[in-house]
Amino acid sequence: MARHGKPIKPARRKPNPLHARGVDRVDWKDTALLRTFVSDRGKIRSRRVTGLTGQQQRQVAVAIRNAREMALLPYPHAGR
């Protein structure tokens, strides 16, 4: 029980977006997929936000960096 008599619900895990799409390897050329893991300012979203595993998050980060190098995705910038 919580402080005021309300029961505490266990936290539900976020659904893994790569498992939902059936992706086992992240490719830097798949910009539509990679854009879902990048904020509107161009920053890579954290694991807590994306719901990925640690290994998948590292694969996504490397793929985003490669796509940025090939000018397929934007680099982060300060909004003014």
Side-chain angles (χ1 to χ4, degrees):
M1 287 275 190
R3 283 177 95 182
H4 301 289
K6 296 178 184 175
I8 299 173
K9 292 183 182 179
R12 282 189 60 162
R13 293 210 42 128
K14 244 183 168 352
N16 190 318
L18 293 183
H19 286 307
R21 295 181 186 188
V23 176
D24 54 341
R25 294 277 305 151
V26 181
D27 188 17
W28 61 268
K29 294 174 287 240
D30 190 0
T31 57
L33 175 69
L34 294 178
R35 282 185 193 277
T36 62
F37 302 111
V38 178
S39 72
D40 58 339
R41 293 188 179 220
K43 293 184 174 184
I44 300 173
R45 297 187 191 272
S46 69
R47 256 189 76 200
R48 287 179 293 145
V49 176
T50 60
L52 298 173
T53 65
Q55 185 176 12
Q56 289 172 332
Q57 181 71 18
R58 285 188 295 275
Q59 285 179 359
V60 165
V62 169
I64 289 172
R65 288 188 209 116
N66 288 339
R68 283 176 177 164
E69 192 69 25
M70 297 305 219
L72 298 175
L73 291 177
Y75 280 95
H77 59 85
R80 292 187 195 193

